[in-house]
Amino acid sequence: MKKVFEVALGILTAIGGFVDIGDLVFNAQTGARFGMSLALVTLIGVLGICVFAEMSGRVAACSGRATFDLVRERLGPRMGVLNLVASVAVTLMTFIAEIGGVALAIMLVTSISEVLIVPFIGVLVWAVLWRAKFTVMENVLGFLGLGLVAFAIALWQLGPSWSDLASQAATFDKPGKEDWLTYAYFAIGLFGAAMTPYEVFFFSSGGVEEKWTDKSLGIMRANVLIGFPLGGLLSLSIAGCAAVVLGPLEVDVAALSQVGLPAAVALGKIGLAFVIVGFVAATFGAACETGLSAGYSIAQFFGWQWGKFVRPKQAARFHLVLILATLLAIGVLMTGVDPILVTEISVVFSAVALPLTYFPILVVANDRDYLGEHANGMLSNTLGTIFLVLVVVAAVAAIPLMVITHMGAGV
Amino acid sequence: MAEKGTDERRHPNRLERPWLDAALHLQDRQVIDSDGMMVCNVDDLEITDGGGRELAVTGLLAGPAALVPRLSGRVGGWLREMWIRLGVQYAGRELPMRIGLDLVDHVGSDVRVRVRREGLLDRQPPAAPGVTLRRMDDLLGMSVVVGGRNVGHVLDVRLEPRPQESRLVLHSLIVGRGRPGSLLGYDRGDFNGPWLVARTVEWLHRHTGELAMVAVTSIDWEHDRVEADRPPGPLDGR
């Protein structure tokens, strides 16, 4: 029974961990503009994050080493430091976007300008990182994040032509008014939103925090293989809702209120309430995860004590990084920069930075010295290699596409 | 606090095996204290040269003074200058922190020391008379010359533990083309897969071999050159 509970909680966390501000924004945008024609990319992204997280979780469980430990160990300090700078920059950008996302979600209810809310959110995130127990933080936010299930119910209530949505998803085509380059840009955005590097830093470091051993592999796999796909379904229903409600109106999603609009249309106030709780929980949870991930990466690279399994006093440098990251995020958001814009940029740069951590993990997952019988088998290696190619292609194409399409505005 | 002894059960102690590799198994590993707390990373290794004995690793080096020089190249040079400039008033700015090998009792997926971390790191003491202290990173990457012909670079250094003497004696050099670290561990025995990566690394390192230290006639630390009297032999994966 205890095990069932543990698995359920883990899955819950993985669902919440999958959906963050990047998924909310990119799925609604693509849904509104491209219908379900990019659904396949989300599915590929979900499979990718499953492969990546499963490998890094397995490595963490068997070797006791988290991602950035291994990055430095395998690539050496020179490549490692480049990797660190790039990954931390992207993670911090995502952290800023998530805190901005929380503020936007709260603005929907309070109508107070998000710039005024930001400092409070920042302090609250920091307080959680400082005080809250790791599992409490994960589970409470994961549970509240289920508010996003309202999107799935809303889609069902909207009663769309399912065969139409399915045929959009199944055929390789785009709406006539969009061009292929913009299509490709949004494909990379969805892929980057599904496979954000911080998810893996957090997942593997969390595994080390919770002292996984090779006996934890079953639970870890259940979390990944059930939780992330369920999170992917939520992403698809957000896109579906946007396709049905916003698509015909030709709305270009540029605000969080537009992301939530379909749920309000379909389910009224109650739907909107659930969705907003879901927004707050998902973005707040992701803010905690990205903040911790920035701290994890830096501390692991330099060998400092990290983690929430020790008292803050015992991991002073790690907590100093968290404080500085929070101050940075508050400072950037106080300039009044649009959090949605930060989100879009962070998602695209996630795709750029992904191979830097993906590759070393793929290599270490094959090291029998560390993993023994749990080293990658045929399936993991086949999928791992396919995704290595995909991840590299996405990374190379991301910035040129962003420039050519003016961040998706069209060529 | 990490459970004591977990890693010992999980990963056999490399100090009790016939050999370990400096770059692959020791450098850039996490150092853990007797309570399971994290101390630092192994930023470099101290090599003791002279005193009538063979070259041997005698300590772990840590801190910016050990790490920054390894980020070689223009950026590394700039970082090193910055590091010194930020603390011109401090003596021994370029002296790294050191942990003697006598304190290390386990090398697995991390490096365990037998004391608590509080006050553990102290500056590297000066060398005894007739002895020069070198750094592993200076040896890695040196070009290897046999009879005037360049046969490659030092990619890794195979060490033979002598636990009673708290030393890791340099046993052989792994010599090949490319750069240290680019082997990714693919040369060491039991490593299968992903086919694409493995074949690529294998191809890049098709000339990699092992050169016993007894074949090394001189090491020129100034000009980064190792002279040997015979070419490297095939690599023993074990």
Side-chain angles (χ1 to χ4, degrees):
Chain A
M1 189 60 210
K2 190 165 167 266
K3 203 155 193 181
V4 173
F5 190 62
E6 203 177 333
V7 172
L9 274 178
I11 291 171
L12 205 71
T13 312
I15 299 175
F18 181 82
V19 182
D20 68 350
I21 186 76
D23 295 277
L24 293 173
V25 169
F26 259 94
N27 279 293
Q29 283 182 342
T30 43
R33 286 179 60 176
F34 295 89
M36 294 306 280
S37 62
L38 281 157
L40 192 63
V41 177
T42 305
L43 293 180
I44 293 173
V46 170
L47 182 61
I49 193 71
C50 286
V51 169
F52 191 10
E54 195 272 337
M55 278 198 295
S56 67
R58 187 149 38 88
V59 172
C62 295
S63 71
R65 306 261 69 87
T67 304
F68 252 91
D69 255 354
L70 298 167
V71 166
R72 176 159 169 201
E73 180 194 307
R74 289 295 150 144
L75 300 182
R78 206 167 153 181
M79 274 303 285
V81 88
L82 285 178
N83 208 317
L84 179 75
V85 170
S87 299
V88 169
V90 170
T91 306
L92 284 176
M93 227 180 327
T94 317
F95 181 55
I96 295 168
E98 307 289 353
I99 290 188
V102 182
L104 287 181
I106 289 178
M107 190 180 76
L108 293 180
V109 189
T110 59
S111 304
I112 300 172
S113 159
E114 93 257 9
V115 176
L116 295 175
I117 306 175
V118 158
F120 296 99
I121 308 290
V123 171
L124 207 58
V125 167
W126 169 75
V128 168
L129 298 184
W130 179 265
R131 295 295 307 186
K133 277 185 71 174
F134 191 79
T135 44
V136 174
M137 176 192 94
E138 275 198 312
N139 297 339
V140 170
L141 292 168
F143 182 72
L144 291 176
L146 287 185
L148 294 175
V149 172
F151 276 110
I153 301 169
L155 185 59
W156 170 62
Q157 279 288 309
L158 286 167
S161 154
W162 293 105
S163 59
D164 207 26
L165 289 184
S167 82
Q168 282 176 20
T171 52
F172 184 71
D173 203 5
K174 59 170 180 64
K177 61 184 188 299
E178 304 284 357
D179 53 85
W180 282 111
L181 284 174
T182 316
Y183 181 89
Y185 171 74
F186 276 96
I188 284 177
L190 283 179
F191 190 68
M195 286 191 78
T196 21
Y198 85 82
E199 287 169 35
V200 170
F201 303 156
F202 179 75
F203 190 68
S204 66
S205 305
V208 176
E209 292 232 18
E210 291 175 6
K211 303 190 185 67
W212 287 347
T213 63
D214 48 1
K215 291 189 190 61
S216 326
L217 287 178
I219 292 177
M220 184 278 287
R221 288 207 175 103
N223 293 350
V224 170
L225 299 178
I226 303 175
F228 284 148
L230 287 178
L233 276 185
L234 283 187
S235 290
L236 283 180
S237 46
I238 293 169
C241 281
V244 173
V245 176
L246 305 176
L249 304 174
E250 302 213 355
V251 174
D252 198 5
V253 177
L256 202 54
S257 55
Q258 290 164 320
V259 179
L261 187 63
V265 170
L267 303 172
K269 274 187 206 161
I270 291 288
L272 190 61
F274 269 92
V275 160
I276 290 177
V277 170
F279 282 166
V280 172
T283 49
F284 197 94
C288 294
E289 293 182 5
T290 43
L292 283 173
S293 295
Y296 286 148
S297 311
I298 294 174
Q300 283 162 12
F301 183 87
F302 290 108
W304 305 339
Q305 177 67 49
W306 52 270
K308 288 184 57 59
F309 60 98
V310 294
R311 277 174 280 128
K313 225 189 240 178
Q314 293 172 305
R317 291 182 177 194
F318 170 69
H319 279 276
L320 182 63
V321 173
L322 298 186
I323 291 171
L324 293 177
T326 313
L327 288 176
L328 174 78
I330 294 175
V332 170
L333 288 165
M334 291 286 278
T335 63
V337 65
D338 179 13
I340 302 285
L341 181 71
V342 180
T343 304
E344 290 175 36
I345 297 173
S346 75
V347 165
V348 173
F349 278 90
S350 288
V352 177
L354 192 58
L356 298 175
T357 37
Y358 181 86
F359 178 68
I361 292 293
L362 179 62
V363 168
V364 177
N366 277 285
D367 191 340
R368 283 176 193 279
D369 197 39
Y370 267 179
L371 291 120
E373 55 184 311
H374 303 295
N376 269 9
M378 263 294 265
L379 180 66
S380 301
N381 269 338
T382 310
L383 286 172
T385 311
I386 293 173
F387 274 99
L388 179 65
V389 174
L390 283 180
V391 155
V392 170
V393 169
V396 172
I399 293 179
L401 281 174
M402 184 168 85
V403 173
I404 294 170
T405 65
H406 306 98
M407 294 192 70
V411 179
Chain B
M1 216 170 281
E3 202 179 314
K4 207 179 157 190
T6 324
D7 192 65
E8 281 84 341
R9 274 200 307 280
R10 243 189 260 173
H11 301 280
N13 192 356
R14 290 202 172 274
L15 296 177
E16 289 160 8
R17 297 239 192 121
W19 56 263
L20 75 166
D21 287 339
L24 185 68
H25 297 131
L26 217 42
Q27 263 183 340
D28 300 307
R29 297 276 169 142
Q30 180 73 51
V31 180
I32 307 274
D33 81 351
S34 57
D35 291 338
M37 304 294 284
M38 298 169 198
V39 183
C40 60
N41 231 302
V42 180
D43 288 324
D44 208 342
L45 300 171
E46 172 193 83
I47 298 178
T48 299
D49 176 8
R53 302 171 88 176
E54 55 283 65
L55 288 176
V57 170
T58 44
L60 314 177
L61 302 178
L67 176 61
V68 170
R70 292 182 65 203
L71 309 170
S72 49
R74 202 170 292 169
V75 180
W78 179 81
L79 274 174
R80 189 174 151 274
E81 211 170 277
M82 277 301 153
W83 166 248
I84 293 170
R85 192 183 300 168
L86 285 170
V88 280
Q89 62 272 52
Y90 296 100
R93 194 69 169 161
E94 290 194 279
L95 271 185
M97 301 295 161
R98 175 182 183 273
I99 300 173
L101 267 192
D102 50 322
L103 295 177
V104 176
D105 68 354
H106 188 272
V107 175
S109 85
D110 50 26
V111 177
R112 306 245 159 182
V113 293
R114 52 178 123 251
V115 292
R116 300 186 62 194
R117 66 174 179 168
E118 282 77 10
L120 171 60
L121 293 174
D122 205 350
R123 280 188 206 286
Q124 185 182 29
V131 170
T132 315
L133 297 178
R134 315 275 186 195
R135 295 193 192 178
M136 182 57 76
D137 194 59
D138 293 333
L139 181 55
L140 293 171
M142 277 193 188
S143 39
V144 179
V145 179
V146 179
R149 199 172 63 88
N150 193 328
V151 295
H153 297 277
V154 178
L155 299 184
D156 209 336
V157 177
R158 201 147 276 189
L159 306 170
E160 184 192 318
R162 300 261 176 89
Q164 268 71 42
E165 307 163 26
S166 297
R167 300 192 310 151
L168 304 167
V169 173
L170 272 62
H171 174 265
S172 55
L173 305 176
I174 295 178
V175 179
R177 300 180 188 170
R179 294 169 37 78
S182 55
L183 283 169
L184 296 163
Y186 275 80
D187 54 322
R188 328 295 150 91
D190 207 7
F191 209 114
N192 75 331
W195 187 87
L196 185 68
V197 179
R199 288 299 94 79
T200 309
V201 174
E202 210 168 85
W203 182 78
L204 284 173
H205 289 287
R206 59 199 181 281
H207 305 294
T208 300
E210 190 175 350
L211 180 68
M213 283 305 285
V214 289
V216 171
T217 48
S218 73
I219 299 178
D220 185 343
W221 296 88
E222 293 294 307
H223 301 95
D224 296 339
R225 244 166 85 107
V226 176
E227 301 249 9
D229 59 11
R230 68 193 92 142
L235 187 61
D236 181 1
R238 277 186 287 190

